[in-house]
Amino acid sequence: MDWVDEVQRLRAQRTPAVIVTLAAVRGHAPRNSGAKMVVSSDGLWGTVGGGNLEATAVGRARRMLGSGSNEPELLTLQLSDKATVEYGVQCCGGEVTVLLEPIRIRPSVAIFGIGHVGLELARILSRQDIELHLVDSRVDMLTGGRLRVLADSVAELRVHVTPVPESILAELPAGSHVLIMTHDHFEDLALCDSALRTAGLDSIGLIGSRSKWTRFQKQLREAGHGDAELARIDTPIGIVGIRGKEPATIAVSAAARMLQLIEAGAVRRSSSVVVAQPRGHSPSVVDVGRRAVPLDERPDADAGAEVDAFDRHQ
């Protein structure tokens, strides 16, 4: 297995990591330029030379993971007994420049209900580098002709036609964001209930009016959900200040809020990484356990104003 295989494995597991490359070598160094190492929060693949060089690069990579940084960095190190070191002297006599590149984990978003608003929202989000799930119980909402508007999609599209949309929740990757906007309020309610019982979701967004949410809260409490769980549902999904009721306008507001949630989720997961100081080179990689944390920040309850018109657009 080479470093490309390891990166693909980590991306498939949705595990954040950093690719460490010896970008330039001047003089003597333990490895030639181009040597690579892949660093996760508690695992390593490969080596860039061991010693202070490698330990310093690993430490910096893990701090990047802890801060949620997505920007590549360059790190220059002197391999000399006169250089200030933290993990032991290397007297090779050269100088190396290390490139650290974070591996971006593709966010996962699932839209339940591809009606007027759902399709407009899919058109916007399909321009993002995400995994986009389109779910509907109605076959005619997900035909090839109707989805032709997504032909130039940047996102990885996954289409699900099922009479039981909530069954798809268990198939979503950990850390997924769920948007509920079906044509049927009973279906919406079942999805809210199931989403709150599904471990690992990053966010749950619901389209609808305040009166609809009032009814839903009563029914969800009767189903056993407490206030802390209900607070996880972001409704009406959207950003403050956009009050238009046209499907495309609602979709823009919901998409903007979804991008906020995606960024917040990435930072939150990265900040939960325990940055341990490296203790020598480990040739194996230990899988990183991940747990989504419920959102502790929600938009103003009046975002989107009175949105009874949402119901007519689903």
Side-chain angles (χ1 to χ4, degrees):
M1 181 175 72
D2 63 15
W3 69 273
V4 175
D5 296 323
E6 178 61 10
V7 168
Q8 290 176 338
R9 187 184 75 84
L10 290 169
R11 288 198 71 174
Q13 294 180 347
R14 309 183 74 79
T15 300
V18 175
I19 302 171
V20 178
T21 305
L22 289 189
V25 173
R26 289 166 288 280
H28 296 286
R31 294 294 305 275
N32 294 328
S33 59
K36 290 185 181 292
M37 178 171 64
V38 181
V39 181
S40 65
S41 67
D42 59 358
L44 300 175
W45 179 95
T47 177
V48 291
N52 180 67
L53 160 62
E54 185 163 303
T56 301
V58 170
R60 181 58 198 149
R62 287 182 173 154
R63 285 192 291 275
M64 292 172 72
L65 290 172
S67 68
S69 172
N70 285 317
E71 296 295 325
E73 294 184 10
L74 288 173
L75 179 65
T76 299
L77 297 171
Q78 301 289 334
L79 305 181
S80 164
D81 59 358
K82 297 180 177 58
T84 301
V85 298
E86 190 173 355
Y87 303 102
V89 174
Q90 281 178 291
C91 302
C92 304
E95 179 185 273
V96 298
T97 298
V98 180
L99 173 63
L100 300 102
E101 299 174 278
I103 301 171
R104 182 178 180 273
I105 304 302
R106 178 179 284 170
S108 171
V109 177
I111 304 174
F112 288 82
I114 313 301
H116 297 304
V117 176
L119 185 60
E120 292 289 351
L121 182 57
R123 292 177 68 179
I124 299 169
L125 291 179
S126 71
R127 305 308 305 158
Q128 301 293 318
D129 182 20
I130 63 175
E131 182 179 305
L132 182 59
H133 296 258
L134 308 179
V135 189
D136 207 298
S137 58
R138 301 164 293 174
V139 175
D140 56 338
M141 292 293 102
L142 294 172
T143 62
R146 196 161 185 273
L147 298 184
R148 192 174 295 122
V149 294
L150 308 179
D152 61 348
S153 173
V154 173
E156 178 184 347
L157 294 180
R158 303 200 177 179
V159 177
H160 310 266
V161 181
T162 172
V164 187
E166 58 267 32
S167 65
I168 301 301
L169 289 166
E171 301 178 18
L172 299 176
S176 290
H177 300 268
V178 169
L179 290 159
I180 300 170
M181 50 185 66
T182 80
H183 66 294
D184 185 340
H185 284 195
F186 287 110
E187 199 167 284
D188 281 356
L189 180 62
L191 280 163
C192 287
D193 177 52
S194 296
L196 289 175
R197 300 179 192 276
T198 301
L201 297 180
D202 247 26
S203 70
I204 305 168
L206 173 67
I207 199 173
S209 65
R210 283 191 285 184
S211 60
K212 172 182 173 180
W213 179 231
T214 298
R215 294 194 302 272
F216 274 27
Q217 288 181 88
K218 179 178 183 295
Q219 292 168 300
L220 289 170
R221 285 194 176 96
E222 290 172 352
H225 299 290
D227 289 344
E229 292 175 291
L230 295 181
R232 293 179 57 206
I233 297 180
D234 194 344
T235 185
I237 185 71
I239 60 174
V240 176
I242 296 181
R243 300 180 180 275
K245 298 181 180 180
E246 297 78 11
T249 302
I250 297 168
V252 167
S253 179
R257 177 60 180 152
M258 180 49 52
L259 294 179
Q260 290 178 334
L261 292 171
I262 287 173
E263 291 188 7
V267 171
R268 185 171 59 253
R269 285 191 299 277
S270 295
S271 64
S272 69
V273 172
V274 177
V275 182
Q277 295 299 330
R279 297 181 180 276
H281 174 66
S282 169
S284 62
V285 174
V286 180
D287 290 344
V288 180
R290 298 176 63 253
R291 180 178 67 85
V293 180
L295 293 173
D296 57 7
E297 192 174 300
R298 299 176 63 241
D300 189 317
D302 291 329
E306 281 293 340
V307 285
D308 290 310
F310 282 12
D311 299 336
R312 298 196 295 275
H313 291 316
Q314 295 174 51

